[in-house]
Amino acid sequence: MSPTQSSLATTSPYSIVAVDADEFVRTIHDAGARVPVEQSPEWARYDDSLPGRRHWRYLLVHDAAGAHVAALSLTEFAGRALVQLWGKFAPIWLTHAAPSAAEERALRDALAAYVKAEHPKAALVRLHATHAAPDLTEPLTEVFYDRTLVLDLSLSEDELMASMSKNGRRDLRYGLKNDALVFTDETGISEQDFAEQVFPVFTETAERGHFDLRPAQFYFNMLSQLGPDICRLYTVRDTSAGGAVVAWALVTIYDGEARYFYAATSAAARKSFAANRMVWECMLAAKSRGASTFDFMGLGSDRAPALSSLDGFKLKFGKDGARDVPGPWDLVVRPQVLSAYRASTKAKALVRDARSKGPSTVRSLPSRTMRTASSAATALAAKVAGPERGATPGQGGTPAVLPVVLDFTLSGYALARAFHERYGLTSVLVVPFTTGATADSTLFHDTRELGFAAINDHDLVLTEIRRIAAENPDLTIIPLTNNDGYVQSLSAKRDTLGTNVVVPHESPAMLERISDKNHFNAVCAEAGVATPGTVVLDFATGRPSADDVTFPYPIIVKPADSALHNALSMPGKKKLYEVDSRDELDALITRLVDAGFTGEMLAQDLIPGDEILSVTMYRAKNGEITLARTSRVLLQDPRPAYLGIPDVQVVQDMPDVVEASRRILETADYHGFANLDAIRDPRDGSVKFFEVNPRYGRNCYYATGSGANVAEQLVSDLVENSPVTAPAPSDDLVYTVLPPQTIARLLPKGAERDAAAALVKRGRWADPLKYDGERNPKHKAYAQIAAWNHVRAYRGAPRIVGG
């Protein structure tokens, strides 16, 4: 059967047909119904951008006469041990809004038969229903609601105000009278500013309300992937507190319906009634953008009593809008798979409990239980035994070293992989939370999740390192991270972590100097290395003049000290600014002055061309360059939230780039790992350097994969005091986080594409997440799914080739 046009006869009076997105939306609108945002094609594309999710099909439900009865869009969730299909806020009933229990059951019978025939791996289908029934079970996971508050935005502002409770009107007036509160649409915010200025309020709210959050990247991805026509970020800033964000909300508007999707308010702001103002202003903003209803996304109910704590606040805006809605249920398609999943989950829980009681308890578990737990038991038993010291030893034996990984991203996995490849060592993972890149991996014998507070509270991380050092006095502890904040904290507190802890980073003073882009330019000038033409705009002595910039537009403007710029509160702030004219530069200067910026900005010549280069270097304690790898970036992530991050690079020997990098590090007298960014200027063939990052680099595995193992550099230099020079690359290598077979079709025609395809054909490629030494099949599956899901980001997006 064709996945776009298939049907299946069942004992149900209904049949199922798969259609394309256009027919799906058109059919719903022809029936006079609305498309919930979670059922929209735009949401399907957003789902496709997330690891472990894949939009499956758009389905129409017909009765025996061929009339349309309902519609539903289903997304596959494959992040757990069983595959699920989920129709968020589906089915959409087309004949009437309140189906009977018999009609709902008939639809489910037809859907179950369809899924069994069309998706052999799906065990559950989550969909929404008004009536409980024997064929439905409570959802395995996820917070949900079956009662909500929906306000009518067709009312005038006065009518909306009048529909509020007396206390609600009073609290709202307090919030509106507070002149220090400023409501702003900040939909165009950068990912870094979102993480640093907005998300901490959500972290505080979660701690106060005792609920779990996803990483900041998840919420920013929703904002950037859905786009400003559908998803908006609104904030309330308190000018009496330096313009800090005290409340924020993500609001979606689709097909005339506004949803108050995510929101957070700081505890301090509750006294200023910022939350009341936030909701009101969001309602008016949605009304101005054509929404006719405003959904608060949940009230407490018998099935969701935890949400009742928010009812008092929400119902201040209008009790008359409270209504019951269909809640989510799981339709079990393959009971045997669900039974096996539950048995495995129970077995894993037993092993986890046994692990906390010691090795003897683990050994006493019944063999059947251990077999059922399989991969989980392997990883957890290793936690009890401690780090591996003899498994798959590398050349020269296994050192008494314990790697402690502080990254939950693919760079964290790559660092742990380097130690496992070279020495057979497993690592301890210390992170705020795990992600698919690091979860379910046998490269980590111990995982310690510290909670979301650890993202900003680095003392939590340092305390855990001290604890690990005390637990392992005979081992040398090496903390590993690509997080700039953690690097700085490790450097500053190195003397407090324990005598057996080796921090592989420079002094705080050196880190500050080398990270300052203005200082970096001075180092390059002294070393005789080219950089883009640069003019320093110094705001400390007053307003700088745009007339100082003499090279042609467009230009790049970026902060000399990123930390100082990051602390700035300014709408529309970016990591760097592409400025097209002198007037535009003058306007940017005005905005920075008005925001109180007192640092330095660098106005730089925008180098044409797309030969973007990445360099990974290691300078040992004795001053020798013992590792040098250069690569050219072929593809960069097209998603707005990840711009600038390479997806595909080809590692090539570039002696001129290595020599220039060596001079930079020696002139600065910098030691350790450094990741440098550069570009080859097509106008004269020279290589111009932008900056140096005092760490390994997110994509450091391109060095390890090409024969220059980063773990060996650290151990030989910092532990064994005998630096080892990595061999020169024997051949070019393609580094990729995409499936290698997709690279050729994503690259434009030409010599570079042909060369990359030839390398892939010869097996000269490396993906940091795809490792033969990984023993957990769940992580292997994640690596495959993540790579293919990443390809979907390129659908309809412009190819960012090189730069």
Side-chain angles (χ1 to χ4, degrees):
M1 297 184 184
S2 166
T4 57
Q5 190 66 42
S6 58
S7 61
L8 183 72
T10 70
T11 56
S12 168
Y14 297 150
S15 59
I16 308 289
V17 174
V19 295
D20 62 23
D22 290 341
E23 184 176 351
F24 177 77
V25 172
R26 184 172 60 252
T27 301
I28 296 170
H29 286 166
D30 288 347
R34 287 176 167 176
V35 181
V37 64
E38 296 91 341
Q39 286 286 287
S40 68
E42 292 85 353
W43 193 277
R45 289 192 287 271
Y46 163 55
D47 271 340
D48 279 343
S49 75
L50 297 174
R53 300 190 192 182
R54 177 179 67 90
H55 182 259
W56 187 53
R57 292 182 187 177
Y58 300 100
L59 303 178
L60 296 180
V61 183
H62 297 157
D63 62 15
H68 300 304
V69 175
L72 66 164
S73 171
L74 294 177
T75 289
E76 175 189 287
F77 282 66
R80 302 182 179 90
L82 75 169
V83 176
Q84 305 175 68
L85 299 176
W86 192 354
K88 292 184 179 180
F89 295 96
I92 305 165
W93 289 89
L94 305 180
T95 51
H96 47 76
S100 67
E103 288 172 320
E104 287 187 334
R105 179 59 190 260
L107 185 150
R108 292 196 299 272
D109 287 345
L111 184 60
Y114 180 88
V115 170
K116 284 181 180 178
E118 295 287 321
H119 197 316
K121 294 183 179 180
L124 302 173
V125 180
R126 184 169 300 169
L127 68 168
H128 290 242
T130 301
H131 308 279
D135 64 324
L136 297 174
T137 64
E138 290 286 351
L140 286 177
T141 57
E142 299 290 338
V143 176
F144 64 85
Y145 63 89
D146 58 357
R147 185 169 177 77
T148 190
L149 175 67
V150 180
L151 301 184
D152 182 2
L153 294 185
S154 67
L155 299 175
S156 68
E157 288 187 30
D158 289 341
E159 289 171 328
L160 285 170
M161 184 79 77
S163 68
M164 296 174 63
S165 69
K166 181 178 179 181
N167 290 341
R169 289 193 296 272
R170 178 201 64 200
D171 294 347
L172 175 58
R173 290 191 181 104
Y174 285 142
L176 293 174
K177 289 179 180 178
N178 190 338
D179 292 336
L181 300 180
V182 179
F183 176 82
T184 309
D185 183 338
E186 298 197 44
T187 302
I189 196 171
S190 69
E191 181 176 9
Q192 181 177 352
D193 286 349
F194 179 83
E196 294 176 354
Q197 299 180 33
V198 178
F199 189 69
V201 181
F202 210 2
T203 303
E204 179 188 331
T205 303
E207 292 172 348
R208 192 170 63 237
H210 305 290
F211 59 87
D212 294 330
L213 292 179
R214 292 183 171 95
Q217 187 182 71
F218 175 87
Y219 304 95
F220 185 84
N221 192 43
M222 174 180 168
L223 178 68
S224 60
Q225 287 292 325
L226 292 180
D229 291 339
I230 297 176
C231 189
R232 312 292 293 190
L233 170 66
Y234 298 111
T235 67
V236 172
R237 291 181 179 268
D238 188 346
T239 58
S240 67
V245 175
V246 294
W248 65 272
L250 281 179
V251 177
T252 62
I253 299 177
Y254 194 85
D255 222 359
E257 297 178 324
R259 294 177 183 257
Y260 198 59
F261 229 96
Y262 296 112
T265 307
S266 69
R270 300 168 92 180
K271 297 179 181 179
S272 65
F273 299 96
N276 305 73
R277 181 163 182 171
M278 167 61 72
V279 173
W280 177 255
E281 299 275 18
C282 285
M283 289 166 55
L284 298 186
K287 179 180 173 70
S288 70
R289 296 185 61 235
S292 58
T293 59
F294 190 87
D295 190 340
F296 281 76
M297 299 286 284
L299 294 173
S301 67
D302 291 341
R303 288 187 68 205
L307 297 181
S308 299
S309 61
L310 301 175
D311 288 1
F313 173 77
K314 292 181 178 181
L315 292 173
K316 288 181 180 180
F317 292 88
K319 292 184 179 180
D320 292 343
R323 64 179 67 170
D324 293 327
V325 293
W329 298 88
D330 281 348
L331 172 65
V332 181
V333 178
R334 290 178 173 80
Q336 70 280 10
V337 175
L338 180 60
S339 297
Y341 170 78
R342 286 173 169 163
S344 175
T345 302
K346 182 177 180 180
K348 292 174 186 177
L350 288 172
V351 177
R352 281 196 299 269
D353 181 63
R355 178 253 175 185
S356 67
K357 298 176 182 177
S360 61
T361 308
V362 176
R363 288 193 294 270
S364 70
L365 288 175
S367 59
R368 181 179 179 182
T369 299
M370 295 298 287
R371 287 195 303 271
T372 305
S374 61
S375 60
T378 300
L380 290 168
K383 290 183 180 182
V384 177
E388 298 177 38
R389 294 185 181 164
T392 321
Q395 299 173 6
T398 304
V401 166
L402 177 56
V404 177
V405 175
L406 309 181
D407 280 1
F408 48 69
T409 65
L410 68 81
S411 74
Y413 187 86
L415 290 167
R417 176 176 174 177
F419 277 87
H420 194 265
E421 279 190 13
R422 176 62 181 83
Y423 300 111
L425 290 170
T426 57
S427 302
V428 177
L429 182 65
V430 177
V431 286
F433 44 81
T434 56
T435 63
T438 52
D440 303 311
S441 170
T442 52
L443 300 193
F444 302 102
H445 64 266
D446 189 4
T447 295
R448 306 187 184 192
E449 295 186 79
L450 305 183
F452 286 87
I455 296 174
N456 298 309
D457 188 350
H458 298 171
D459 284 339
L460 294 174
V461 178
L462 300 181
T463 297
E464 197 61 36
I465 292 173
R466 294 184 188 102
R467 184 176 293 116
I468 293 169
E471 293 169 356
N472 300 274
D474 298 329
L475 298 177
T476 298
I477 312 300
I478 304 180
L480 305 163
T481 183
N482 264 303
N483 180 289
D484 288 322
Y486 287 168
V487 167
Q488 293 166 359
S489 295
L490 287 168
S491 175
K493 299 294 183 67
R494 69 172 73 235
D495 294 334
T496 73
L497 301 178
T499 57
N500 59 329
V501 177
V502 172
V503 173
H505 302 291
E506 272 278 14
S507 67
M510 174 59 79
L511 291 176
E512 183 178 356
R513 287 198 304 273
I514 202 70
S515 298
D516 184 286
K517 297 176 181 63
N518 197 21
H519 179 78
F520 175 75
N521 284 350
V523 169
C524 289
E526 184 179 348
V529 174
T531 57
T534 302
V535 172
V536 179
L537 303 175
D538 189 353
F539 288 75
T541 57
R543 177 190 175 92
S545 173
D547 292 336
D548 293 340
V549 177
T550 57
F551 35 80
Y553 290 88
I555 64 170
I556 293 294
V557 178
K558 60 186 179 182
D561 183 345
S562 297
L564 183 62
H565 183 257
N566 290 343
L568 186 69
S569 177
M570 184 180 79
K573 188 178 68 174
K574 301 178 181 179
K575 293 174 66 175
L576 58 83
Y577 306 86
E578 184 170 337
V579 178
D580 293 327
S581 67
R582 186 217 177 275
D583 289 343
E584 194 173 317
L585 175 59
D586 207 46
L588 174 61
I589 291 173
T590 298
R591 289 170 54 207
L592 289 163
V593 170
D594 291 345
F597 182 66
T598 58
E600 294 177 340
M601 299 293 287
L602 306 182
Q604 291 189 327
D605 185 16
L606 179 60
I607 308 298
D610 59 9
E611 192 172 348
I612 300 295
L613 308 177
S614 175
V615 188
T616 297
M617 305 282 284
Y618 186 81
R619 186 167 183 249
K621 290 186 296 182
N622 64 7
E624 295 180 16
I625 300 294
T626 55
L627 181 150
R629 283 295 187 270
T630 51
S631 72
R632 176 169 179 179
V633 178
L634 298 187
L635 283 173
Q636 294 186 45
D637 198 315
R639 294 173 293 182
Y642 306 94
L643 289 179
I645 295 179
D647 281 346
V648 179
Q649 299 166 254
V650 58
V651 183
Q652 297 173 324
D653 190 17
M654 304 178 197
D656 60 331
V657 180
V658 171
E659 172 59 20
S661 301
R662 179 191 64 77
R663 295 203 305 270
I664 292 172
L665 298 189
E666 289 181 351
T667 300
D669 197 25
Y670 174 90
H671 300 82
F673 270 101
N675 179 236
L676 301 95
D677 296 328
I679 185 172
R680 195 175 295 277
D681 191 334
R683 297 171 295 189
D684 59 10
S686 66
V687 175
K688 292 183 169 66
F689 283 76
F690 294 114
E691 63 182 347
V692 59
N693 300 298
R695 44 185 170 76
Y696 316 91
R698 178 182 185 271
N699 292 348
C700 63
Y701 191 77
Y702 76 72
T704 300
S706 62
N709 189 291
V710 298
E712 184 176 46
Q713 295 298 310
L714 296 175
V715 172
S716 63
D717 185 34
L718 304 180
V719 179
E720 299 173 343
N721 293 309
S722 180
V724 172
T725 300
S730 59
D731 194 359
D732 291 355
L733 176 81
V734 172
Y735 168 94
T736 179
V737 295
L738 303 172
Q741 59 268 43
T742 67
I743 295 172
R745 66 179 173 85
L746 293 176
L747 286 170
K749 292 181 180 180
E752 281 192 342
R753 186 182 75 170
D754 294 344
L759 288 170
V760 168
K761 187 175 182 179
R762 291 196 290 116
R764 292 290 300 167
W765 62 272
D767 181 330
L769 292 179
K770 295 178 181 177
Y771 178 36
D772 290 341
E774 174 63 63
R775 301 195 306 275
N776 193 325
K778 288 178 67 176
H779 193 278
K780 288 177 175 287
Y782 167 82
Q784 295 286 351
I785 293 169
W788 281 103
N789 277 343
H790 202 150
V791 173
R792 295 188 178 92
Y794 285 82
R795 293 178 180 173
R799 302 290 184 267
I800 305 177
V801 182

